[in-house]
């Protein structure tokens, strides 16, 4: 959808988003570009954290007001630690689908239009009170008709229905975001470190998949197949005859929420066993099935008690067990709208990163990050390589268990020392890797809440070791090739240095600076004109901003801005 197509019933929404973005751009331009030109960089730096927090709060309010895709934008932004400062991500990480439920008659009308018949013929009972309401859709409980129940073997189901008109809202929001991204490409300080159009397109793909319930249904089926022989894991069954792109019907698998520790203990289930099982299952998804539930928050994971039998039941650790004192259970996943694929390329990239870490090769680690796409090709990585060298020197010889015993203040000090440098880099995570990091992060947080002594490094270590072990032959070959390349460079280095010194001693090294001097003369004139132009723009914008609150000062700035304008037009011109 283009900007012109957004000029229909949702025109006000489109303009509201662009108006918000334009005001924020002016503020950023003034503080980050204009003020430093006049020696006021300190003002910009002192106020930056506070300004970022205010921006995040204003965007939070905008997202709640508009709903639709804007809430998803805020949630997406909160996960982009690679390109956004912590003041923004921390403020937005609590953004939830704070929207009222759609009136049931509208939901019924949409569902009947999609299914092609009255709901009374599809379901013997449909609960008008939604179980959950979100920005893109809402969920109702229902009971299948006797005929469908006989065919599917199911009775109680949940029906997920899109919010009416959400397709048009998503199209308008994406049109506005694409326009904002084009604006960002013209801001050099942003364009040098963030590929904004690519970010928007990644977000668009995820969002369009999330409102396609057929895509979610296929993902749920694939997930069920992956764990078909694993008694630790369950997923709802899809009622395909009652599922369309905008209506999803699936078996009701509601049970104990994974973070409800009181209910777990009441059911005889040890929360720490749940934490261990949950971590195992999530890492199995990453390293074995390579298809990962990327949104494993408490609302999407249930713990279903499994009655103990004489032969035992599936317990929390993934082994057969269970007794009267400790009941068995399985983990039931729902909501498969956000899934991550561990592609061959990503798996190879992770392996390359592990090789570099194993060799404590900071340059190799940076090279691997570029291959995966984490670092944009324009990245100046010298400072990053020095930071990684310091990291390897301090923590490189430690195993996972040793790292877990390091004073957290050491990590904090290291992050403070190099955090700003990392955020200045053109760092951008590919969509699948971002979703993967999100999944592991949510897993770590959930497991730590269930068991304060839980250590995600201990849970991940066997899988990382297996990844390297599976590739042991090529791993040793790659490391050997890297060692030979380094040895060859080292062998040739003394001779090349000696050749250069000999040429200098013989007077055979000369430099022609005449062309450079002519270029510098021209650049000096251009610099004078640019400085005058910046001064004119600064006075013009500053005067326009101050005309309201301080009319005398604002009008004076507007008049005085004519002087640097004349300078921009006539100064610095030199005859050729």
């Amino acid at each position: 959808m283009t900007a012109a197509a957004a000029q229909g019933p949702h025109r006000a929404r489109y303009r509201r988003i662009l108006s918000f973005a334009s005001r924020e751009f002016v503020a950023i331009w003034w503080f980050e570009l204009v003020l430093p030109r006049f020696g006021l960089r300190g003002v910009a730096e002192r106020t930056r954290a506070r300004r970022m927090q205010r921006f995040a709060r204003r965007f939070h309010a905008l997202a709640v007001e508009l709903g639709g895709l804007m809430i998803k934008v805020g949630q997406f932004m909160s996960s982009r630690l690679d390109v956004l400062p912590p003041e923004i991500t921390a403020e937005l990480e609590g953004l939830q689908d704070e929207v009222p439920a759609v009136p049931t008659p509208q939901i019924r009308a949409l569902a009947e239009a999609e299914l092609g018949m009255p709901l009374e013929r599809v379901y013997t009972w449909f609960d008008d009170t939604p179980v959950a309401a979100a920005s893109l859709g809402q969920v109702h409980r229902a009971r299948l008709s006797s005929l469908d129940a006989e065919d599917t073997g199911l009775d109680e189901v949940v029906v997920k229905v899109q919010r009416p008109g959400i397709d048009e809202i998503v199209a308008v929001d994406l049109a506005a975001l694409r326009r904002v991204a084009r604006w960002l490409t013209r801001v050099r300080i942003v364009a040098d470190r963030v590929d904004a159009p690519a970010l928007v397109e990644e977000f668009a793909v995820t969002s369009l998949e999330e409102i396609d319930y057929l895509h979610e249904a296929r993902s749920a089926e694939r997930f069920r197949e992956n764990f078909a022989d694993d008694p630790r894991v369950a997923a709802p069954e899809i009622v395909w005859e009652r599922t369309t792109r905008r209506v999803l019907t699936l078996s009701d698998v509601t049970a104990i929420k994974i973070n409800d520790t009181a209910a777990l203990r009441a059911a005889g289930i040890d929360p720490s066993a749940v934490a261990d099982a949950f971590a195992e299952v999530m890492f199995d998804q990453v390293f074995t099935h390579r298809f990962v539930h990327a949104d494993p928050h408490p609302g999407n994971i249930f713990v279903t008690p499994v009655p103990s039998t004489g032969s035992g039941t599936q317990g929390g650790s993934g082994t057969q067990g269970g007794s009267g004192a400790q009941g068995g259970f399985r983990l039931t996943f729902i909501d498969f709208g956000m899934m991550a694929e561990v592609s061959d390329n990503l798996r190879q990239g992770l392996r390359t990163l592990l090789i570099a870490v194993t060799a404590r090769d900071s340059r190799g680690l940076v090279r691997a990050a570029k291959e995966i796409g984490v670092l944009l090709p324009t990245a100046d990585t010298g400072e990053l390589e020095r930071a990684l060298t310091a990291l390897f020197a301090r923590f490189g010889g430690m195993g996972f268990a040793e790292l877990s015993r390091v004073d957290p203040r050491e990590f904090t000090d290291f992050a403070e020392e190099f955090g700003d440098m990392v955020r200045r880099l053109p760092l951008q995570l590919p969509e699948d890797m971002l979703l993967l990091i999100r999944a592991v992060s949510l897993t770590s947080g959930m497991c730590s809440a269930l068991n304060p002594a839980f250590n995600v490094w201990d849970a991940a270590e066997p899988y990382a070791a297996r990844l390297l072990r599976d590739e042991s032959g090529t791993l040793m070959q790659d490391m050997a090739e890297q060692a030979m390349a380094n040895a060859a460079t080292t062998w040739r280095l003394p001779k090349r240095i000696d050749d250069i010194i000999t040429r200098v001693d013989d007077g055979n090294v000369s430099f022609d600076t005449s062309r450079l001097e002519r270029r510098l003369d021209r650049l000096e004139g251009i610099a004078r004109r640019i400085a005058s132009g910046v001064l004119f723009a600064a006075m013009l914008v500053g005067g326009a901003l101050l005309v309201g609150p301080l009319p005398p000062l604002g009008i004076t700035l507007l008049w005085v801005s004519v002087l640097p304008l004349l300078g921009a037009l006539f100064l610095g011109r030199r005859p050729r």
Side-chain angles (χ1 to χ4, degrees), residues 108-145:
R108 281 179 167 270
L110 187 147
E112 289 175 350
E114 283 290 301
L115 298 173
M117 65 182 72
L119 286 190
E120 288 75 12
R121 290 180 55 190
V122 182
Y123 310 105
T124 59
W125 168 74
F126 186 90
D127 190 356
D128 287 341
T129 303
V131 177
S135 58
L136 303 182
Q138 63 189 49
V139 180
H140 293 255
R141 282 195 172 91
R143 189 176 297 115
L144 288 177
S145 67

Side-chain angles (χ1 to χ4, degrees), residues 313-356:
T313 60
Q314 186 67 22
S317 64
T319 58
Q320 295 294 330
S323 64
Q326 174 58 50
F329 62 87
R330 65 174 174 265
L331 298 167
T332 303
F333 288 74
I334 65 170
D335 195 350
F336 300 90
M338 190 182 297
M339 304 296 292
E341 291 262 11
V342 183
S343 63
D344 291 338
N345 181 59
L346 180 55
R347 181 183 173 88
Q348 177 65 25
L350 292 173
R351 174 180 160 273
T352 305
L353 285 172
L354 285 172
I355 293 171

Side-chain angles (χ1 to χ4, degrees), residues 16-28 31-32 47-64 70 73-74 76-78 80 83-92 95 177 180 184:
R16 179 82 173 83
I17 296 170
L18 294 187
S19 174
F20 175 87
S22 60
R23 287 197 303 270
E24 297 302 326
F25 282 162
V26 169
I28 292 172
F31 282 97
E32 302 298 337
T47 62
R48 184 174 294 122
R50 189 166 63 253
R51 286 186 287 109
M52 293 298 100
Q53 288 173 345
R54 284 202 301 267
F55 161 78
R57 285 195 292 268
R58 288 194 295 268
F59 184 86
H60 188 146
L62 176 74
V64 172
M70 287 298 101
V73 172
F76 181 77
M77 289 168 63
S78 72
R80 298 310 306 229
V83 296
L84 293 174
E87 292 83 7
I88 292 178
T89 56
E91 186 71 30
L92 294 177
L95 183 62
L177 292 173
V180 171
L184 286 172

Side-chain angles (χ1 to χ4, degrees), residues 443-474:
T443 299
S444 177
M446 179 63 63
C447 292
S448 297
L450 291 167
N451 177 15
F454 178 83
N455 182 0
V456 70
W457 299 110
D458 291 336
E461 187 173 21
Y463 295 92
R466 189 176 71 191
L467 179 62
L468 290 178
R469 186 170 60 250
D470 291 345
E471 305 281 355
S472 57
T474 51

Side-chain angles (χ1 to χ4, degrees), residues 272-286:
S272 63
V274 174
D276 293 339
F278 182 47
E280 288 178 5
V281 169
M282 290 302 297
F283 283 119
D284 275 345
Q285 293 175 45
V286 175

Side-chain angles (χ1 to χ4, degrees), residues 142-468:
R143 189 176 297 115
L144 288 177
S145 67
S146 56
L147 184 60
D148 285 342
E150 184 178 347
D151 287 343
T152 62
L154 302 174
D155 184 21
E156 303 292 334
V157 294
V158 294
V159 184
K160 190 173 180 180
V161 185
Q162 273 188 17
R163 296 179 77 91
I166 195 63
D167 284 338
E168 293 80 6
I169 289 175
V170 167
V172 168
D173 290 355
L174 288 178
L177 292 173
R178 288 183 173 113
R179 185 163 184 177
V180 171
R182 290 196 298 272
W183 290 352
L184 286 172
T185 60
R186 300 188 181 100
V187 182
R188 184 172 179 180
I189 59 172
V190 176
D192 283 349
R193 65 182 303 268
V194 179
D195 187 349
L199 273 183
V200 170
E201 292 310 316
E202 286 179 4
F203 176 71
V205 169
T206 302
S207 301
L208 293 174
E209 287 178 350
E210 197 167 350
I211 62 172
D212 181 357
Y213 289 166
L214 290 174
H215 180 272
E216 180 178 343
R218 288 190 292 269
S219 295
E221 288 277 273
R222 178 177 172 184
F223 187 90
R224 277 177 57 83
E225 291 172 3
N226 286 345
F227 288 96
D229 299 323
D230 192 334
R232 300 171 302 170
V233 184
E237 296 183 47
I238 306 299
V239 184
W240 284 102
E241 295 79 4
R242 303 306 178 206
T243 294
T244 71
R245 195 182 72 83
R246 299 198 291 173
V247 174
L248 174 61
T249 304
L250 59 165
S251 57
D252 188 354
V253 294
T254 306
I256 302 170
K257 277 192 175 182
I258 191 171
N259 64 339
D260 191 346
T261 54
L264 291 174
R265 292 192 179 95
I269 299 172
D270 181 5
S272 63
V274 174
D276 293 339
F278 182 47
E280 288 178 5
V281 169
M282 290 302 297
F283 283 119
D284 275 345
Q285 293 175 45
V286 175
F287 293 101
T288 303
H289 303 295
R290 296 162 65 176
F291 186 62
V292 187
H293 194 300
D295 197 23
H297 64 72
N300 287 340
I301 316 292
F302 294 116
V303 178
T304 305
V306 176
S308 298
T309 63
S311 60
T313 60
Q314 186 67 22
S317 64
T319 58
Q320 295 294 330
S323 64
Q326 174 58 50
F329 62 87
R330 65 174 174 265
L331 298 167
T332 303
F333 288 74
I334 65 170
D335 195 350
F336 300 90
M338 190 182 297
M339 304 296 292
E341 291 262 11
V342 183
S343 63
D344 291 338
N345 181 59
L346 180 55
R347 181 183 173 88
Q348 177 65 25
L350 292 173
R351 174 180 160 273
T352 305
L353 285 172
L354 285 172
I355 293 171
V357 171
T358 302
R360 301 188 198 180
D361 178 7
S362 58
R363 182 167 296 179
L365 189 58
V366 170
R367 188 167 55 249
K370 286 185 176 180
E371 290 174 2
I372 294 175
V374 171
L375 284 170
L376 298 183
T378 57
D380 180 5
T381 57
E383 195 173 353
L384 177 60
E385 289 179 16
R386 289 191 292 274
L388 290 171
T389 300
L391 179 67
F392 285 135
R394 175 63 187 91
F395 306 111
M398 298 183 179
F400 287 116
E402 292 175 288
L403 283 172
S404 67
R405 292 192 290 270
V406 172
D407 188 340
R409 286 174 294 184
E410 289 195 50
F411 291 116
T412 302
D413 293 343
F414 190 90
E416 288 179 354
E417 182 177 355
F418 294 105
D420 289 339
M421 176 273 298
V422 171
R423 281 190 291 275
R424 287 196 304 270
L425 287 169
L427 184 68
Q428 188 164 296
L429 297 176
E431 178 71 6
D432 283 341
M433 193 167 185
L434 174 68
L435 292 175
L436 197 62
I437 292 172
R438 172 186 171 85
V440 173
S441 175
L442 288 173
T443 299
S444 177
M446 179 63 63
C447 292
S448 297
L450 291 167
N451 177 15
F454 178 83
N455 182 0
V456 70
W457 299 110
D458 291 336
E461 187 173 21
Y463 295 92
R466 189 176 71 191
L467 179 62
L468 290 178

